Amino acid sequence: MFRFATILFFLCLSFKSFSQPIQESMAKSELYRYNVLNQFAQKRTVDENIDLVYAKLALEPNMNTGAIVSASVRFTFKVLTNLNALSFDLRKELSVDSVVYHGIKIGFLHGTNHILNISLPNALTQNALDSIRIYYHGTPNMGSRAYSRSVNASGVNISTLSQPYGAPYWWPCRDNLKDKIDSLDVLLTVDTPYVAVSNGVLHNILIEGSKRTYVFKHRYPIANYLVAVSFSKYNTYTQKAFLSSTQKDLDIVNYVFPHNKLNEVKVQTFETIKMMHLFDSLFGTYPFHKEQYGHAQFSWGGGMEHQTMSFMVNFNYDLIAHELAHQWFGDKITCGTWKDIWLNESFATYGNLLCYDFLGTKKQWMDVLKKTQEEVMSLPYGSVYAKDTTDVNKLFDYRTTYQKGAMVLHQLRWLIGDSAFFQAIRLYLTDQNLAYNFAKQKSLQTYFETTSKQNLNDYFKDWIYGQGYPNYQIEWQQKGNQFEIDIKQTSSFSLNDTFNVPLPILLKGSNRDTFLRIDIKSLNQVNKISLDFKVKELVFDPQHWLLAKTQILFPKDNNDLISIYPNPFNGSIYISAREIQISYFEITDLTGRQILQMNYPNPIEEGGILRIDLSAFADGIYNLKFGNSESSLHQKIIKLSN
Ligand SMILES: [Zn+2]
């Protein structure tokens, strides 16, 4: 799932082909929705005594009111333990008309706890295959937004979005993350000119007077919250992606509101083909390749990765990428508990970032990583894992569950290398116990450990369950061929935390560079390296791999690089930076309080001299910090009037 904040619209106007990843925030309405659904979820008591093998959902809405005029669900199930009763989740606003078992209406109780309890006329024994059909109608509670009716420039749209707990608001189901329905048919009846869309492939359209029944068939296991329907006037078109893994064309079927300019939308959805090629090669064959992929426009403020048919508010590049990546992460393998929703969202967010890595320019890739790093570290705390699913701010928190999770994966890629990283992901996605089933964090970790031959317990403990990130203070000096780097680590969150991801460091000389990967073994370490060229600048993490903040101190032996004079000073101070570009400076007092700060949109180039008038300053000692976005230098300066 992906929600948009208002900033999106600004970004869409600012970027031509690639938009920046979108800052997302939790809208009040979303909190309300989640609260309503969460209260319901905690009351649920559905047993786990059957395995659903097939569901046939038939539904006809009234487009004018949103009511469900008539609907039924037939479940075929395998009995797991001997039983004489069944139960399903269904909201009380919906009325059950009858329950039919072997052609006979049988007794049921639809309680105020939103559970439909069905008494069977005879006991069923373990491993028996049986089926039951539930007929219902009514007006769903639209406040939940799991099922909603809205009006746009093209007319009415009725659509569903059940994640996480909304499915029983519109159909009887077993609302858990334990059993996928192995095979699904959806029959949607609506008056022309409205069109209906659901999961899987459109098999047939049945015509009866002005009504059309759209028959969708889906032959892959599906989590109940990924079953979805949408009704609207739609323009439809198909684009094809040739999958090298199957050597076949895959249909990408798009359902677009008619008020959109079709030529423009086609250009946007065309990007899906490139992303499909990328993910098919990086993650393994598109999981539903025997059927199709597609997008259906809906009125909700974002997107939702409904299996084989993502629902989209628009066809923004990042939204297309995010929901497509979810077909592997979230749909093929679904989080086994909402606490592990990061297994869906971190990978979908990282899938989006990978489009910039593999399909964008180097600059676009570096820009999105830098922006994501900054947004994750805009606050010093927050874990990827959602310990408490009643903490509504946490579960769908964009900064941690989505962005930090994505950067933790990116950092892991740096730690273990591309080959081990992508191989582990492909093994995880094809694990027989996980594929088309539910995920377990430990299995994912085991694959990363197998391919990298590294123990990653500390990494997962620090970065998935732990909070914060390291701050590094780096000081360097060079005497002849001896180069020394002093590294001190503190944590943004807790004094007791230590992080041990190796540091990428670039040493730049006048016509030579060298790249270092420095292992972190203690909170305070000195590394000595033999170098045969003179270093002029040290750049920390130039490729934006890490979640870490850094302070690079003034080189101990720097006289030939930079000079600050006079010091002590009286009126003005001069910075002569022969080897560094200056785009800002900041002066603080010894308590850390900022006294003066200046940014230079047009930086002072290397070799320039910066004059700062400090004649108004009181006598005393100050910290001067200056530099650019990649490195900064610090120096104590002293004001002395006489
Ligand atoms: Zn998502």
Side-chain angles (χ1 to χ4, degrees):
M1 176 156 53
F2 199 112
R3 292 193 201 88
F4 281 153
T6 46
I7 195 167
L8 161 70
F9 301 104
F10 165 72
L11 288 168
C12 285
L13 293 173
S14 312
F15 292 84
K16 268 190 169 175
S17 55
F18 287 86
S19 64
Q20 294 272 345
I22 295 142
Q23 174 71 38
E24 191 174 24
S25 64
M26 179 68 91
K28 276 186 179 152
S29 61
E30 291 306 313
L31 273 173
Y32 168 75
R33 170 174 174 268
Y34 183 86
N35 274 322
V36 169
L37 298 175
N38 201 40
Q39 283 164 17
F40 171 48
Q42 285 163 14
K43 286 181 192 161
R44 283 189 50 252
T45 55
V46 164
D47 47 72
E48 290 157 23
N49 52 9
I50 57 172
D51 173 19
L52 297 177
V53 296
Y54 171 71
K56 182 179 185 178
L57 165 65
L59 190 146
E60 179 180 354
N62 180 326
M63 295 301 285
N64 294 322
T65 65
I68 294 172
V69 180
S70 70
S72 69
V73 182
R74 180 161 78 86
F75 287 112
T76 301
F77 55 90
K78 188 176 153 188
V79 178
L80 296 180
T81 55
N82 297 352
L83 57 91
N84 52 20
L86 290 172
S87 62
F88 294 89
D89 296 291
L90 182 67
R91 290 287 299 185
K92 196 66 184 124
E93 304 86 62
L94 298 170
S95 303
V96 176
D97 302 311
S98 62
V99 176
V100 176
Y101 177 72
H102 293 213
I104 299 163
K105 287 184 182 176
I106 60 169
F108 64 88
L109 184 69
H110 192 192
T112 50
N113 59 357
H114 311 290
I115 306 278
L116 172 64
N117 288 300
I118 300 168
S119 307
L120 296 169
N122 51 283
L124 303 184
T125 52
Q126 194 177 0
N127 294 325
L129 199 64
D130 216 325
S131 70
I132 197 155
R133 191 158 182 174
I134 301 158
Y135 292 86
Y136 68 103
H137 75 281
T139 302
N141 175 350
M142 308 254 183
S144 73
R145 295 183 63 196
Y147 175 103
S148 53
R149 177 186 179 276
S150 57
V151 181
N152 59 53
S154 294
V156 175
N157 173 219
I158 291 174
S159 61
T160 63
L161 192 164
S162 299
Q163 191 187 33
Y165 304 119
Y169 279 76
W170 64 278
W171 68 293
C173 58
R174 295 168 66 83
D175 195 22
N176 60 44
L177 291 176
K178 293 190 170 65
D179 179 26
K180 290 192 178 185
I181 302 164
D182 302 329
S183 176
L184 173 76
D185 286 350
V186 182
L187 287 73
L188 302 172
T189 302
V190 69
D191 277 320
T192 49
Y194 289 103
V195 173
V197 59
S198 185
N199 312 89
V201 174
L202 178 62
H203 180 72
N204 201 1
I205 303 173
L206 309 172
I207 301 170
E208 194 182 326
S210 66
K211 287 184 198 289
R212 302 280 182 276
T213 296
Y214 295 82
V215 182
F216 285 86
K217 290 185 181 291
H218 186 46
R219 295 292 171 260
Y220 288 93
I222 183 168
N224 74 294
Y225 78 90
L226 292 168
V227 176
V229 300
S230 184
F231 302 86
S232 172
K233 291 170 193 162
Y234 278 127
N235 283 329
T236 64
Y237 62 90
T238 300
Q239 293 169 319
K240 285 182 187 295
F242 181 78
L243 300 187
S244 56
S245 63
T246 61
Q247 291 291 303
K248 281 183 183 158
D249 274 333
L250 178 81
D251 283 351
I252 300 172
V253 185
N254 298 284
Y255 290 74
V256 177
F257 290 152
H259 67 268
N260 288 287
K261 290 194 177 111
L262 209 52
N263 287 345
E264 290 175 10
V265 175
K266 279 184 179 173
V267 171
Q268 292 180 295
T269 58
F270 188 76
E271 298 293 332
T272 321
I273 297 169
K274 298 174 206 164
M275 297 171 190
M276 183 66 84
H277 290 154
L278 175 65
F279 295 164
D280 191 69
S281 62
L282 282 181
F283 305 147
T285 307
Y286 169 65
F288 313 106
H289 65 93
K290 289 177 186 161
E291 296 185 357
Q292 63 174 50
Y293 182 59
H295 303 109
Q297 205 167 5
F298 76 153
S299 305
W300 200 83
M304 179 64 209
E305 63 272 20
H306 295 134
Q307 197 156 303
T308 68
M309 182 57 67
S310 291
F311 286 11
M312 318 278 284
V313 65
N314 60 30
F315 300 95
N316 168 275
Y317 184 87
D318 293 309
L319 189 60
I320 291 176
H322 182 97
E323 305 308 346
L324 179 62
H326 265 311
Q327 300 298 314
W328 284 260
F329 307 101
D331 293 8
K332 182 180 185 184
I333 297 187
T334 306
C335 59
T337 129
W338 294 115
K339 290 180 181 188
D340 278 323
I341 190 166
W342 70 273
L343 290 168
N344 297 8
E345 298 302 345
S346 300
F347 277 99
T349 307
Y350 194 53
N352 181 186
L353 292 182
L354 289 173
C355 292
Y356 291 91
D357 184 2
F358 289 89
L359 306 174
T361 63
K362 178 82 177 169
K363 184 176 184 317
Q364 286 166 331
W365 173 225
M366 290 298 110
D367 285 351
V368 295
L369 284 175
K370 186 164 177 282
K371 188 167 181 295
T372 311
Q373 284 174 320
E374 286 168 0
E375 288 176 4
V376 172
M377 295 189 287
S378 64
L379 293 170
Y381 52 82
S383 69
V384 174
Y385 185 70
K387 288 185 186 70
D388 177 5
T389 54
T390 63
D391 180 350
V392 296
N393 286 309
K394 172 62 196 106
L395 198 62
F396 288 102
D397 179 54
Y398 188 62
R399 186 180 66 86
T400 52
T401 306
Y402 292 65
Q403 288 180 301
K404 184 179 175 187
M407 283 309 296
V408 167
L409 290 172
H410 184 59
Q411 192 171 252
L412 179 60
R413 183 178 159 198
W414 153 253
L415 180 65
I416 68 176
D418 273 22
S419 166
F421 180 78
F422 288 111
Q423 198 196 345
I425 289 177
R426 286 191 290 270
L427 289 171
Y428 165 72
L429 283 163
T430 49
D431 181 313
Q432 288 189 348
N433 294 318
L434 306 177
Y436 305 102
N437 209 329
F438 296 94
K440 292 174 185 69
Q441 181 277 124
K442 189 65 192 165
S443 313
L444 177 70
Q445 184 183 326
T446 302
Y447 281 122
F448 282 124
E449 288 179 337
T450 305
T451 58
S452 69
K453 301 183 176 64
Q454 293 185 38
N455 181 331
L456 297 170
N457 266 337
D458 280 351
Y459 187 80
F460 276 78
K461 186 164 77 57
D462 290 344
W463 292 101
I464 299 296
Y465 302 99
Q467 306 199 47
Y469 52 82
N471 288 307
Y472 291 106
Q473 191 186 71
I474 297 174
E475 196 168 6
W476 60 277
Q477 63 177 323
Q478 185 171 15
K479 286 192 179 117
N481 288 347
Q482 278 293 309
F483 188 83
E484 185 183 305
I485 310 177
D486 299 3
I487 301 168
K488 292 187 177 64
Q489 186 194 126
T490 54
S491 161
S492 71
F493 180 71
S494 160
L495 284 176
N496 300 322
D497 288 342
T498 59
F499 298 89
N500 46 18
V501 177
L503 306 187
I505 285 177
L506 179 67
L507 302 180
K508 288 166 93 167
S510 47
N511 50 21
R512 285 184 60 187
D513 300 348
T514 193
F515 186 77
L516 307 177
R517 180 183 172 111
I518 299 181
D519 287 329
I520 295 297
K521 298 185 175 107
S522 69
L523 291 178
N524 202 338
Q525 70 182 50
V526 177
N527 288 67
K528 289 185 178 159
I529 299 148
S530 181
L531 267 191
D532 58 358
F533 68 91
K534 180 84 181 151
V535 174
K536 294 185 169 176
E537 191 182 356
L538 180 152
V539 184
F540 180 83
D541 191 18
Q543 305 285 318
H544 302 288
W545 284 108
L546 303 190
L547 286 175
K549 281 192 178 172
T550 182
Q551 196 181 46
I552 299 168
L553 296 181
F554 206 81
K556 286 174 184 169
D557 175 22
N558 58 69
N559 289 338
D560 60 336
L561 296 179
I562 292 141
S563 50
I564 295 172
Y565 56 90
N567 193 16
F569 66 95
N570 185 355
S572 294
I573 196 159
Y574 297 83
I575 305 173
S576 166
R578 284 192 280 283
E579 309 290 351
I580 185 172
Q581 204 185 49
I582 302 176
S583 61
Y584 79 95
F585 76 82
E586 180 191 60
I587 298 174
T588 52
D589 66 17
L590 291 182
T591 69
R593 187 169 59 99
Q594 191 182 78
I595 315 276
L596 188 63
Q597 194 265 344
M598 196 74 78
N599 290 312
Y600 300 99
N602 299 313
I604 292 144
E605 290 302 328
E606 294 160 17
I609 294 177
L610 174 64
R611 171 177 167 269
I612 310 171
D613 182 1
L614 302 175
S615 50
F617 274 38
D619 282 7
I621 302 172
Y622 301 89
N623 289 314
L624 168 67
K625 180 182 174 188
F626 62 94
N628 53 55
S629 61
E630 290 191 333
S631 60
S632 58
L633 302 169
H634 296 242
Q635 175 73 31
K636 279 198 170 52
I637 54 174
I638 302 167
K639 170 84 186 271
L640 206 61
S641 298
N642 297 309

